[in-house]
Amino acid sequence: MVHIGLTYNENHDLHDPVLNGFPGPENPDRLNQILDYLAKKDIFNNETCSVYNSDPALLEDILRVHVREYVDLVRSSTKKSARQLGTDTYLCDASFDVLLQAIGCVLKAGSLVAKGNCDHSFALIRPPGHHAGISNSSGFCVFNNSAILARYLQAEHGLEKIVIINIDAHASDGTYSIFSDDSDVLCISVHQDPSTLYPYKCFTKDIGVYPALGFCINMEMPPRSGNSEYAIFFDEFVIEVLEQFDPDIVILECGFDSYYKESLAQLDLTVDGYYHIVSKLAKRWNTVCLLEGGYHDDLGLLVFAVIEGLMGRKTVVDEVDQVDLLASRDTSTRKIFIKKLSKLRMILDPYWEFSVNSRV
Ligand SMILES: [Zn+2]
């Protein structure tokens, strides 16, 4: 039977934009809503899922990715009156402790899978991490959770080949910047066309740098892309690349702002779309999910759908009629998507083999 490990940072409430003076979309309600939903669904400690406690991360875990000057800046900035690291990145008195505990949950989720205690896991943590670079915060992100986990799995568990996949609506620019020259960590980010959305980086042409050309992959999804475009991308592209790379583990930067109800982005994934992506990956590879963005009221429902995807057993019902969804789709979206996918295959043709001709 499949076993899923869940972790969450209990002190996340202390990282709250209201404590810093202003309300904001990245706030404790996000994770509280998820935990309430999962409790109602009796997902904690049933025969398939277990919640695991974790210790706060050590500084050395963070320093495998981030430079010491930046880590010191984050810590000292929590004590200042103007506790702001960047335009979108706020800090509170206890933020450094929250960050250590969040990363501790991430590392625990990874080690549960690496040791074989669980088949898959999900770290339900805040704040998110995928925009953070080695010496910078960005877009609500302070430390890069998935990068810290990848380096930890290599250093402490001897894993060699790791895949990080981002399905957040926003490009995983921080993760890209950290691994752009590392061919042991394959990064695939599928996100809304960054010419239309923050961080305005990570275009199809960006494929990493020597000696790891082709090991950073960015797919630009045109606005209004939904379940069928994502299914094509995963079924006919991601799975083929992953089969060639043959990873020891998959880290999924699981953002829920690609959902059709998200006001901060313009993508159309629904419950079924998330389930399909996750079940497809989890069927073949041990998968560690990390919570990234998503700022609407259905986060609990989507986390539940992802957990069911990890289990490979679907009871959750999509409220969106898929036939309606297809019928109402703007047909130009599909055309632009197919063009962008062909271009991606063509650019990556020297590095990966594709069964579909890249020039079709
Ligand atoms: Zn996002």
Side-chain angles (χ1 to χ4, degrees), residues 249-264:
I249 201 164
V250 172
I251 299 172
L252 185 65
E253 292 179 333
C254 200
F256 294 111
D257 45 12
S258 308
Y259 189 54
Y260 77 109
K261 288 186 186 172
E262 175 64 60
S263 59
L264 299 189

Side-chain angles (χ1 to χ4, degrees), residues 130-131 140 168-171 197 255-258 265 292-295:
H130 70 151
H131 294 305
F140 312 138
D168 191 279
H170 301 92
L197 191 68
F256 294 111
D257 45 12
S258 308
E292 291 286 351
Y295 309 95

Side-chain angles (χ1 to χ4, degrees), residues 94-138:
S95 289
F96 200 78
D97 294 333
V98 174
L99 288 158
L100 289 179
Q101 204 194 90
I103 296 166
C105 294
V106 167
L107 302 184
K108 180 73 178 187
S111 66
L112 285 169
V113 173
K115 284 186 193 160
N117 299 124
C118 297
D119 299 282
H120 312 292
S121 60
F122 201 152
L124 299 163
I125 44 105
R126 331 181 9 257
H130 70 151
H131 294 305
I134 60 167
S135 58
N136 68 284
S137 66
S138 184

Side-chain angles (χ1 to χ4, degrees), residues 4 8 18 21 32 37 41 50 57 67 107 121 151 198 206-208 241 244 249 252 265 269 280 310 325 332 343:
I4 315 287
Y8 63 91
V18 172
N32 289 334
Y37 191 95
K41 285 283 179 186
S50 306
V67 297
L107 302 184
S121 60
R151 291 298 184 224
Y198 178 88
D206 300 317
I207 59 166
V241 171
Q244 291 167 63
I249 201 164
L252 185 65
L269 273 181
K280 194 95 194 175
L310 295 174
L325 189 75
S332 69
K343 186 179 161 195

Side-chain angles (χ1 to χ4, degrees), residues 15 26 84-91 131 137-141 198:
H15 183 70
E26 204 298 290
Q84 196 80 14
L85 274 177
T87 331
D88 298 318
T89 320
Y90 64 90
L91 290 170
H131 294 305
S137 66
S138 184
F140 312 138
C141 303
Y198 178 88

Side-chain angles (χ1 to χ4, degrees), residues 12 40 160 299 308:
H12 77 95
K40 272 188 215 135
E160 289 174 359
L299 295 182
E308 290 209 321

